[in-house]
Amino acid sequence: MKRILLLLALSATFIGSAQNITLKKGVIIDSLIVNDTIPETFSLYLPKKFEVSKTWPVVFVFDMNGRGKQSLAMFSAAAEEQGFVLAASNNISDTLSIAKNILITSRMFNTVTTMLPIRKRGIYTSGFSAGGRFSTLIPTFIQGVEGVVACGAAVANFEVLTSRNPFHFIGIVGDEDFSYSDMLIVEKVLSRMKFPNQLLVFDGGHEWPKTEDLSSALRLLTMAAMAKGNVTKDEAYVDANYTADLVKVNRLYTANKPVLADNWLEEMSEIYQPFIPLDSIKASRKAVRRSRLFKNQNRTQNALSLKESLIKDEYNYYLEEDILTYNYNNLGWWKYQMEDLQKFQKNPVVLGQKMGKRLEGYLKALVSDNVDMLSAEEPIDGEALNFLWMLKTVIEPDNYESYLKIISYTAKTDDYGTALFYLEELLKKGYKNRSELYGLENTALLRITPEFNELVEKYLKGARYNIIEE
């Protein structure tokens, strides 16, 4: 199949077998067909300055729910600023095996690199959370990937990495993200393995980074490409970035964040080593590390990191035990842990507050991961899942789904007392969906009881079945 790409002033037209598609620049184009024989699609973004006469770097962005357009929307402003093409599959899914997701990815890679003038050694991957973890696997299974931008996600599997096939890893994470500690470890491990890497840290939790941070990551990839000779070295570009990074260090230091300032100066040593003498960076780092504030914050952070690690180990141990033994009696202990985390978050020391938020996010993610694992097993252990749904009402009291799952399961097992208890707790939280409640699976007999309808009448005004008093 021969494809001809015609780029007009404001749009590009792709003419292929049985299709004629206009590819507009500066907008996200959704549902482009991978090929004529497989029902797979992808989303694409071309920067406004895109021209067919030159080659371009591309970032393949992954969302494990196949939301290609949405994931590109998070990246498009940074790609526009730094001059990158973006592409994302609409068929990647966490319900598929890694092998199937890799095959889907490979087909998309082939289509994009065939239809567009993609720069040799200019292919990168990225994603947020689960998508970020998956993006770290791609360089191992598909040749030609130069780097990865993992947002809120650590490396999925160190065992598949090899120093014979290194890639440039850039992590972006919030300092309140439960992945923060893991990404600090990733940075150290990759450095030992001689993988080029940087870690960008922002104020925030488990969320997509802002355009500024994504743009910084793409900028670092461009700088690395210049250092390797993959693209022409641009001294003005290097100087502008060096100045911007010094401003960043100064901003961190004046905001009383000397540890973060020191960390970025360390990253700058690696970034700029191929371009300029490092004397100024080394001198700045010595000055930062001599300050009393740095020494105090560094000591506090190290102590909190140890404490955080021990608490995580405790969560893992007790959760595994409680699931195996259906230990409903330990729900009170978990409630106490949540109260402790709230105390951490009210700590006058900001680093302590951030640790509390990370641990809360970690516990929520840990429980959700166990729910997913148990739900995928055959046969399903309903009692273990019921314990986890009850635990979810403790750690996420405003998550209505947890209460509904408990009501459905306990009604199925004829434990109406528990079902009614959680029904009232749900209604107290402000739940109002009467039709969903009366259509809940396994609750046909529960729904006709006077107790069920009395609760609905009390909180929602208007039970479906009349309450007959004898």
Side-chain angles (χ1 to χ4, degrees):
M1 181 191 305
K2 185 177 180 181
R3 294 187 172 99
I4 303 173
L5 189 67
L6 301 175
L7 284 162
L8 305 178
L10 297 176
S11 65
T13 302
F14 168 60
I15 303 174
S17 175
Q19 58 180 328
N20 187 341
I21 306 170
T22 298
L23 302 182
K24 293 183 179 180
K25 296 187 285 185
V27 297
I28 297 170
I29 309 151
D30 195 21
S31 300
L32 292 171
I33 297 171
V34 171
N35 63 50
D36 298 335
T37 59
I38 299 175
E40 294 172 1
T41 65
F42 66 98
S43 297
L44 183 71
Y45 181 84
L46 302 177
K48 293 176 183 177
K49 53 191 173 184
F50 182 85
E51 297 175 359
V52 74
S53 59
K54 57 179 285 191
T55 58
W56 296 81
V58 59
V59 179
F60 291 94
V61 187
F62 295 94
D63 178 276
M64 300 315 290
N65 292 308
R67 299 170 298 196
K69 185 175 182 179
Q70 290 91 324
S71 60
L72 293 195
M74 307 305 297
F75 235 110
S76 58
E80 183 65 46
E81 182 179 317
Q82 297 298 324
F84 278 70
V85 171
L86 301 176
S89 172
N90 294 317
N91 301 97
I92 295 294
S93 174
D94 56 8
T95 62
L96 299 176
S97 67
I98 291 176
K100 287 183 179 178
N101 280 325
I102 292 292
L103 287 173
I104 292 169
T105 299
S106 180
R107 288 191 285 266
M108 176 182 62
F109 270 38
N110 290 336
T111 297
V112 172
T113 55
T114 299
M115 68 185 284
L116 297 173
I118 299 303
R119 189 185 79 214
K120 186 179 180 181
R121 304 194 72 178
I123 296 175
Y124 307 95
T125 62
S126 185
F128 170 68
S129 197
R133 285 192 295 276
F134 178 70
S135 72
T136 68
L137 294 173
I138 304 299
T140 301
F141 298 102
I142 299 178
Q143 291 185 345
V145 178
E146 283 290 303
V148 174
V149 179
C151 308
V155 170
N157 189 341
F158 282 112
E159 293 180 4
V160 301
L161 301 183
T162 169
S163 57
R164 294 190 299 273
N165 183 32
F167 56 85
H168 193 144
F169 177 87
I170 298 177
I172 312 180
V173 67
D175 57 5
E176 296 170 8
D177 190 331
F178 59 86
S179 300
Y180 175 72
S181 301
D182 291 337
M183 294 186 76
L184 291 177
I185 294 171
V186 166
E187 186 179 28
K188 293 177 181 177
V189 174
L190 290 180
S191 294
R192 287 200 299 269
M193 295 178 69
K194 307 301 182 185
F195 276 58
N197 68 88
Q198 283 87 41
L199 183 62
L200 309 181
V201 180
F202 62 89
D203 284 318
H206 193 61
E207 59 196 83
W208 266 99
K210 293 181 174 61
T211 295
E212 178 186 359
D213 296 303
L214 292 169
S215 187
S216 292
L218 299 185
R219 179 168 55 85
L220 291 174
L221 294 177
T222 299
M223 294 275 288
M226 288 181 184
K228 292 178 181 178
N230 295 338
V231 296
T232 303
K233 189 178 295 185
D234 184 336
E235 290 186 7
Y237 184 82
V238 173
D239 289 344
N241 288 323
Y242 180 70
T243 300
D245 281 330
L246 288 179
V247 170
K248 176 180 178 178
V249 169
N250 186 61
R251 188 174 67 242
L252 289 170
Y253 189 77
T254 55
N256 293 326
K257 298 177 181 178
V259 174
L260 290 178
D262 176 68
N263 289 344
W264 192 243
L265 284 168
E266 184 179 15
E267 302 287 14
M268 286 177 65
S269 297
E270 182 179 352
I271 296 165
Y272 292 100
Q273 188 273 332
F275 302 104
I276 59 174
L278 301 180
D279 296 348
S280 178
I281 294 175
K282 291 177 181 177
S284 296
R285 216 178 158 203
K286 284 182 181 178
V288 169
R289 294 178 72 86
R290 278 199 300 264
S291 72
R292 179 175 296 179
L293 183 59
F294 171 84
K295 293 175 181 177
N296 290 339
Q297 282 193 4
N298 194 46
R299 189 182 307 112
T300 300
Q301 184 165 287
N302 289 337
L304 289 173
S305 294
L306 176 59
K307 186 171 188 174
E308 185 174 350
S309 178
L310 293 172
I311 292 174
K312 283 182 177 179
D313 289 343
E314 191 173 38
Y315 288 166
N316 281 284
Y317 174 79
Y318 282 111
L319 184 60
E320 183 178 359
E321 288 290 307
D322 289 350
I323 292 171
L324 289 172
T325 59
Y326 314 140
N327 191 3
Y328 294 103
N329 291 329
N330 211 30
L331 290 171
W333 183 82
W334 289 107
K335 188 171 187 291
Y336 175 76
Q337 300 309 305
M338 288 302 297
E339 291 169 354
D340 255 8
L341 292 182
Q342 295 305 313
K343 292 177 184 176
F344 280 135
Q345 293 176 36
K346 295 175 182 177
N347 194 310
V349 178
V350 174
L351 293 176
Q353 296 172 18
K354 292 182 178 295
M355 183 192 73
K357 291 177 181 178
R358 289 196 299 269
L359 284 170
E360 183 176 347
Y362 178 81
L363 181 54
K364 289 177 180 178
L366 180 64
V367 174
S368 293
D369 286 347
N370 276 274
V371 167
D372 291 342
M373 286 188 291
L374 286 174
S375 299
E377 292 180 356
E378 289 292 344
I380 290 177
D381 188 341
E383 197 68 24
L385 271 175
N386 190 53
F387 168 79
L388 287 172
W389 289 119
M390 288 187 178
L391 179 53
K392 267 183 166 283
T393 67
V394 173
I395 64 176
E396 298 181 75
D398 296 322
N399 185 342
Y400 294 156
E401 182 187 14
S402 306
Y403 299 87
L404 294 169
K405 292 284 188 181
I406 297 166
I407 295 166
S408 175
Y409 177 79
T410 52
K412 180 181 178 180
T413 57
D414 297 328
D415 185 2
Y416 287 1
T418 300
L420 291 169
F421 172 80
Y422 278 94
L423 171 63
E424 184 161 21
E425 291 299 305
L426 172 65
L427 294 172
K428 284 179 180 177
K429 293 291 179 186
Y431 179 82
K432 305 249 182 230
N433 195 335
R434 186 186 290 102
S435 60
E436 183 180 36
L437 201 56
Y438 276 99
L440 193 59
E441 187 180 15
N442 302 320
T443 62
L445 294 177
L446 175 67
R447 294 196 302 264
I448 62 175
T449 62
E451 294 85 356
F452 183 96
N453 287 280
E454 284 172 0
L455 287 173
V456 175
E457 180 68 31
K458 177 180 177 181
Y459 291 95
L460 299 184
K461 307 300 181 188
R464 179 170 296 181
Y465 302 105
N466 293 327
I467 302 166
I468 302 173
E469 297 183 7
E470 296 183 0

